Amino acid sequence: MDVESLRKYGFKTGKEWAAQGERCFLPEVGMSYQYEWFHVFAMDEEEPEKIAYTSDEFSIPRMQLYVRDRHVRCSCSVEGTYHIDNDDMEPLFTVLFNMITDGILEKAEV
């Protein structure tokens, strides 16, 4: 997988998200070790250019896909609700579907 091709699907490096002022990557939050990884997030419904967080209190993204060591990983954080369902996950499912359809992802050997 050519990680630079991930940009087509909305992925940016943690460093780029930090440059946009996204609070999950502020130095005091301690996520700078993820600056070189590529990330795509579920975005806020009211401010679509901003990442959706679990709450206003914490800098925890609600849902994300990220690429680390050439593997795509998914992370969901639930707060203020008892679950995250398909409607919530659809934006990230769409990213995965498009990546699979375009042949950018392949099944990893386990």
Side-chain angles (χ1 to χ4, degrees), residues 6-20:
L6 295 172
R7 294 182 186 286
K8 173 182 174 183
Y9 306 96
F11 284 83
K12 298 177 192 174
T13 65
K15 193 172 200 171
E16 291 169 307
W17 286 108
Q20 283 182 212

Side-chain angles (χ1 to χ4, degrees), residues 22 30 65 72 97:
E22 283 298 345
L65 295 175
V72 177
F97 177 81

Side-chain angles (χ1 to χ4, degrees), residues 17 22-23 41-56 62-63 91:
W17 286 108
E22 283 298 345
R23 66 187 202 219
F41 297 90
M43 304 306 281
D44 189 286
E45 288 180 13
E46 295 174 11
E47 295 181 78
E49 70 283 352
K50 300 279 185 188
I51 294 172
Y53 290 94
T54 57
S55 71
D56 290 336
R62 188 159 181 204
M63 291 173 280

